Amino acid sequence: MFQCVFSSSVLQPHRTSCLFKHLFYHSATPASQKQPEPIYSKKTEIQRQTVRALSVKLFIFSALQVARQLLLQQQQQQQVSGLKSPKRNDKQPALQVPVSVAMMTPQVITPQQMQQILQQQVLSPQQLQVLLQQQQALMLQQQQLQEFYKKQQEQLQLQLLQQQHAGKQPKEQQQVATQQLAFQQQLLQMQQLQQQHLLSLQRQGLLTIQPGQPALPLQPLAQGMIPTELQQLWKEVTSAHTTEETTGNNHSSLDLTTTCVSSSAPSKTSLIMNPHASTNGQLSAHTPKRESLSHEEHPHSHPLYGHGVCKWPGCEAVCEDFQSFLKHLNSEHALDDRSTAQCRVQMQVVQQLELQLAKDKERLQAMMTHLHVKSTEPKTAPQPLNLVSSVTLSKSASEASPQSLPHTPTTPTAPITPVTQGPSVITTTSMHTVGPIRRRYSDKYNVPISSADIAQNQEFYKNAEVRPPFTYASLIRQAILESPEKQLTLNEIYNWFTRMFAYFRRNAATWKNAVRHNLSLHKCFVRVENVKGAVWTVDEVEFQKRRPQKISGNPSLIKNMQSSHAYCAPLNAALQASMAENSIPLYTTASMGNPTLGNLASAIREELNGAMEHTNSNESDSSPGRSPMQAVHPVHVKEEPLDPEEAEGPLSLVTTANHSPDFDHDRDYEDEPVNEDME
DNA sequence: GTCGATATAAACACTG
DNA sequence: ACAGTGTTTATATCGA
């Protein structure tokens, strides 16, 4: 208990803010419960509840005090202290993420968080150690005190039980209350110690308060809510997202919420209607049984009832049957301050979860951005091993390459937000089929991509000026195959490059020349005359033929294939996973509307298989049926003699509409403009 | 060292 | 004349 107060206050600013919120939501009800500690395991329900109620009360009080003091301190010190006040502000942003986390788990300070704090603060290790020891000592003291207090409570409760049987309830309660007050004072002393400690921590820079955190409405604290307020609150609660029914995950967060899985609407509603909603949480907390209410349409299925226990946050009252549960529910958890506050807390939990989600998203973005920047810098990395399972390998090619690269990174300009429309990961398809990853200068530089990042690969290359680890031929082929008609004009190919790769938004003259060169050089690219001009198609057969040549009997090529496989496997997995498991594919945002996306997973798989087949068999036989892409039967306009064996497809459909809608409106990343900054 | 694949640069031709 | 397109040649790097 009091974890929220102590642990949260011990640490980071965000914890303090959490405390504020926590506090706020407890404020309306001093009696809001706290999660029982293990110590209570054998105690009776009544005992637990009594202690809990008292604990919460104390918690609120002390937390409020602490919060106030901290706030004041922070305000005062903001300007003053040289130790760390300047730093504090700087760190705010960095702590953003943890903040939300902390809000959810106010009472637990993870080692990481602790470490973070330690790292962030300017204090010397010795100072820190001393502080921590102090803190621990205080905690220990408090714990001991509380245990003692609990024992006392136990005894009291036993007496109470006995007397209850004798029908002397009121008296007992008074006694209990008296005792509680006595211990309360003791605990308050502890709290004060804690506060002092906290303040000292804060002074020394261990603690900061988020400036953004409002001073918090303190008035409502310790006050009951007025009926209308309660009504409104209940409405809020009922309308609030009923997040997970799982009691599981956030329990670490707000104590109350642990069990408080959002109660069902019906029960709340009934509660709202409940005429006797007045009980003072404190004293009534431990007295179950009263009359029941009606929300019993669903006999034995109630979100708040399970395994013979009331699942109301912090309750755990044992109810033999559903009826008794209902009674208990209506009596103990009627519309009163406590229940209201508990619901509030749950709402807060939900909100914080959402906040957390939002922040995590932000963090993801930041990570991506960060990686983009970094990725432009050459990084030496070990050669891609045979990691079929490894996640590492997108070799970002040759930053060191004397050729094109020198130009690239010049502009750190972060990812110019590209046209969102991404055909998913080019990479995937292209690499398998083509197999060979662009080797030149490149193998030395890998951009490790964790499986977690993989989903963002597409975006990665779109935004990062990292040279894609694929050959021009691969990319060209990919561009063509991604088009609805499987054919593109040269300009459309250009556009695809620029759209899909930030890298190709520079040095247009260079890479465009390379593209043209490749188109002409490789037999697999077939030029088809069109009314408007000409379009380029891919002769898949021819394309497949290239691979075996490289691969046959060549271990290194096999390695390459495996590398590409390794690179793609996670992509494939991620993609499929997202498509299968999530109704919301990971790529949706980027690939929305891209017709090719739907087939991507299977295409990837097939191509992957194909690639591996090649790898495994030295044969140069390329089974045309392997790749779905081979449906394309391009015309061979080229004069060059073709291998007799390869079956030329029928003339391809050179339709009037030579470009796909996808590319028609392609934003044309101008070659020149981009070139400028780099040179 | 050779060979094949690839990248880059550049010259050249053709076309609208 | 010019830009875009397409072809070809030369050179360099890399890995096998």
Side-chain angles (χ1 to χ4, degrees), chain A residues 111-285:
Chain A
Q112 292 82 359
Q113 290 170 330
M114 185 64 86
Q115 196 173 14
Q116 191 182 5
I117 293 165
L118 296 179
Q119 289 171 349
Q120 289 172 349
Q121 307 305 328
V122 192
L123 299 179
S124 69
Q126 291 78 10
Q127 284 175 305
L128 290 172
Q129 202 164 11
V130 170
L131 289 171
L132 289 176
Q133 284 173 356
Q134 290 175 0
Q135 175 69 17
Q136 286 173 357
L138 284 172
M139 296 289 283
L140 203 69
Q141 286 179 10
Q142 185 203 6
Q143 206 171 6
Q144 289 171 351
L145 191 62
Q146 286 176 359
E147 282 180 21
F148 175 64
Y149 160 71
K150 287 167 193 166
K151 285 177 185 173
Q152 294 289 331
Q153 287 299 320
E154 255 181 278
Q155 292 178 1
L156 286 172
Q157 293 303 328
L158 285 175
Q159 292 175 9
L160 178 65
L161 277 178
Q162 292 172 355
Q163 293 175 6
Q164 265 182 342
H165 289 165
K168 296 177 183 176
Q169 264 198 19
K171 216 176 178 180
E172 304 330 318
Q173 291 179 349
Q174 282 181 350
Q175 287 182 358
V176 172
T178 309
Q179 299 266 347
Q180 286 174 346
L181 284 175
F183 286 105
Q184 186 173 341
Q185 289 181 349
Q186 286 182 299
L187 287 173
L188 282 175
Q189 289 180 353
M190 287 303 302
Q191 299 290 333
Q192 287 173 356
L193 282 176
Q194 287 279 337
Q195 291 173 32
Q196 289 177 3
H197 179 64
L198 291 174
L199 291 176
S200 70
L201 287 178
Q202 192 193 0
R203 276 185 218 111
Q204 297 173 62
L206 270 178
L207 243 186
T208 55
I209 296 178
Q210 278 203 319
Q213 277 299 329
L216 265 264
L218 301 176
Q219 325 78 7
L221 301 188
Q223 293 178 1
M225 286 177 146
I226 60 177
T228 48
E229 196 178 352
L230 290 172
Q231 293 275 348
Q232 187 181 355
L233 178 57
W234 275 116
K235 284 177 186 171
E236 287 178 37
V237 172
T238 46
S239 64
H241 6 231
T242 60
T243 52
E244 69 293 310
E245 297 279 331
T246 65
T247 43
N249 290 333
N250 16 352
H251 42 328
S252 56
S253 54
L254 302 170
D255 323 349
L256 298 184
T257 66
T258 50
T259 12
C260 172
V261 187
S262 58
S263 52
S264 67
S267 72
K268 290 166 189 165
T269 314
S270 66
L271 285 171
I272 293 176
M273 297 311 165
N274 189 353
H276 24 37
S278 57
T279 48
N280 176 358
Q282 248 197 99
L283 293 181
S284 65

Side-chain angles (χ1 to χ4, degrees), chain A residues 19-28 60-69 71-72 214-224:
Chain A
L19 179 148
F20 276 114
K21 289 197 174 183
H22 196 154
L23 234 178
F24 175 76
Y25 285 97
H26 280 78
S27 61
I60 292 167
F61 179 81
S62 57
L64 180 56
Q65 296 270 341
V66 171
R68 276 178 171 151
Q69 297 237 19
L71 191 60
L72 285 175
L216 265 264
L218 301 176
Q219 325 78 7
L221 301 188
Q223 293 178 1

Side-chain angles (χ1 to χ4, degrees), chain A residues 2 15 75 112 147 191 215 261 311 319 321 333 411 441 557 572 582 632:
Chain A
F2 298 114
R15 301 219 159 269
Q75 288 171 348
Q112 292 82 359
E147 282 180 21
Q191 299 290 333
V261 187
K311 290 186 172 180
C319 304
D321 61 337
H333 309 301
T411 12
Y441 317 123
L557 290 172
N572 191 16
N582 307 334
V632 181

Side-chain angles (χ1 to χ4, degrees), chain A residues 10 22 51 56 107 141 199 206 244 254 374 435 481 578 654:
Chain A
V10 169
H22 196 154
V51 173
V56 171
Q107 69 275 50
Q141 286 179 10
L199 291 176
L206 270 178
E244 69 293 310
L254 302 170
K374 267 195 171 177
L481 293 182
S578 70
V654 181

Side-chain angles (χ1 to χ4, degrees), chain A residues 73-81 85 88 202-203:
Chain A
Q73 283 286 332
Q74 203 255 350
Q75 288 171 348
Q76 290 173 355
Q77 293 181 0
Q78 196 114 29
Q79 330 270 3
V80 186
S81 167
S85 54
R88 201 177 304 156
Q202 192 193 0
R203 276 185 218 111

